[in-house]
Amino acid sequence: MTNHLILSKINEQTIIEWDNIETTPPYSEIDILRALDQVKVDTDQLSKHAEAILHVMLAFHRLVRHEEQDQLAQNLLDIAAKMEPSLSIHHKLQSIKHYYFLIQHFKQLHINQWSIRETDFDQAKLKKLQEWQKKITSFYSETDAVEFEADEYQSQLDQIYSQMKEKLINLNQLLKEGIESIENKRSGIPTKQINLIIKELEDLEHTFDQTLPDTLHAKVDKSPLQKLEGMIGLDQIKQYMKQYYHYLKYQKDRKDIGFQMIDEPGLHMIITGNPGTGKTTIARLLAEIYHELGLLESKHVIEVNRSHLVGSFVGQSEENTMTYIRQAVGGVLFIDEAYSLKRQDSSGSDYGQAVIDTLVSAMTSGEYAGKFVVILAGYPEEMRQFLWSNPGLRSRFPDQNMISLPDFKMSELVEIAEMTALSNDYFFTETALNSFYDLIERAKVDDTFGNARTVRDLVMKAIFKKGASITVDANDDWLDHMRIESKDLSVMDDQRDDTEPMDQLDQLIGLDNIKAEVKKLSSFVKMQQKRKHQGYPIVPIQLHAVFSGNPGTGKTTVAKIYSKLLKECGLLKRGHFVLASRSDLVAGYVGQTALKTKNKIREALGGVLFIDEAYALFRGENDFGKEAIDTLVDEMTKHNENLVVILAGYRKDMERFIDSNPGLSSRFRKYFEFVDYQANELLAITHYHIERYHYKITDDARDFLIEHYQAESIKGNARFVVNLVEEAIQFQALRMAEQSPSDDQFLHLNKDDFKKAWQTVKGD
């Protein structure tokens, strides 16, 4: 046995021991797919006998998972038969599969809905009889072509199905006689005989179902609690829902034996949770629970949001709300993102409050009170603020009727990914699943992460990428079109620059001290990541930094490269760069600065937040900037491993700023000092920008620049050089317009161009 099969939890002896279709196969569908995929690579991993049984197991799983006849299940059984012609488990499943196919088609007749009354008008009877006869004819056409040999194991099923077929023939004959009687205006339609055979067919269908192996009962009607139990994760919610169900059932049973309650249990519910945590699914299950217990007439759910309810003129919101309430009578009105009904800074023209007032009134009094259930759903914090600002609404929801759905754990998200892939007839190889884990981790940046919804989107994106690059050929192995490999996920990675971040840093002119510091930090980070992956303790990594220096010394450029390096090292999930200043963080009135700062931080999560001229945030104790600083410190602690903050500005101003707040000084220990460029570096930067636009500089212009770079104090550093080159190009264009230059002269910037440009830029 090789390591591959051990990793897939497959044991040959366990495979061979499965010889009874009344027991579920010992391995899941995904494990079997991975094992068969590995066997394709190394055919010596399993005996042909065991491999044939694996194909039968897979066909079994597909038979349970699909209601209709499944062509791939039949192909798998055919493959198994070629490998091992005398395999008993194959013959059993092949035979059962045919019966399973027949009964599924029989169920589509919906015999249990057939009935005819003596008092029906002849035309109504005729319509029913003709419709039933048409369905029976269709059933015959779809099942008569099915040929198989029933073995001894299925003799009981064969007897039952033979009786069903005989009864169906008799019923068809009676239908024919009844149709002829009505069309010829004769009396004596065999109503009682027809109803009797229908009842006998119902009983036979039930008997057939009971005779089928329990393991193959597909799509059986599950109770709401059974459906909930089948969901991934949500352990605490499952426990609560069981308790809630038994509480409601207990109160109903007490009422049935004569007890009375003045205070009936409230059914209205609030469900909070982040995106993709299952709020809508839980609401639908609650509707089923209420209906099952007889607390609601139906299990239908009317799903609405603000756009359905809130109108654009006076009276329209009330009308819309009452329309949906009437539709929900007997069932549930589910309002998603309910907090959007009441907007914080809404003006008098926002009619969300009218919806709330109408809803509360209908829930508590009048014609519709007690006749429908309201379930409100939304994100946790927004719902909390919404409810506390609407005491009239909140009082209609008992505390015990507030469910908070947790975010899914990483293991649960991976399981959701596997099940999503499988439901679309795909599976992840083990290496691809590890890669997909990283994709989820990168997407899980902030509280906008969509949990199960995001994971499903990622799976479907992987399926799309695979389907967009592959075609189906008749000679292909069937596994080729189910397998999701690491290479199918690699195309989903973010687009990378052609130049590596470290090479981009090396290409910068000057900044030798900065390059040395960044390289040292990058090496340290990579080494700590390796230690972490190998299980060794890691030294705490301090990534927040202060970039001090004059304008134009490369602070912003280096910060962008720094963000890319940290992503490359695996410390940042996105590695994007967000530039901010005081105006992006500080608002003009109380209470809004914290919100504004949090929004900017949320934008930067997973990357680098670069605050330029950061010292401008602090202008005294009574300045709103202090609130921005406090919020920044709190959020840095909260998102410690998911955010890097770089503060930039003049050196002395930055020193005073950091010292002004203990929270800042304790979080910024990495300092990068950007020194002014030397004359030779300024000249190199000049050459870089000239060549970037495919111009050339004359010797006299170069001498002019060297002389002035050495003699004068250059404020703006590289920024000054960029402005200088752009001005020189404009003066050259003016000079060319007054001449008739040759093609070569269009490329040259001379001393006069730079002399005029220097006077212009220095004069700014």
Side-chain angles (χ1 to χ4, degrees), residues 162-178:
S162 296
Q163 292 178 49
M164 292 170 69
K165 196 169 183 179
E166 183 181 345
K167 296 287 183 187
L168 207 56
I169 291 171
N170 294 339
L171 176 60
N172 198 37
Q173 182 59 38
L174 289 174
L175 297 179
K176 182 179 179 183
E177 293 173 8

Side-chain angles (χ1 to χ4, degrees), residues 9 30-31 43 64 118 128 150 218 229-230 381 564 566 664 688 691 707 717 729 748:
K9 309 169 190 174
I30 293 172
D31 283 337
T43 56
V64 173
E118 292 282 2
K128 283 185 179 180
E229 197 60 39
E381 181 59 25
K564 295 174 184 177
L566 293 179
L664 289 175
Y688 170 81
E691 291 169 2
E707 178 185 347
N717 288 281
I729 290 172
H748 290 93

Side-chain angles (χ1 to χ4, degrees), residues 566-579:
L566 293 179
K567 182 188 178 184
E568 185 184 69
C569 297
L571 278 177
L572 288 178
K573 295 176 181 178
R574 292 179 178 171
H576 63 300
F577 176 87
V578 175
L579 177 64

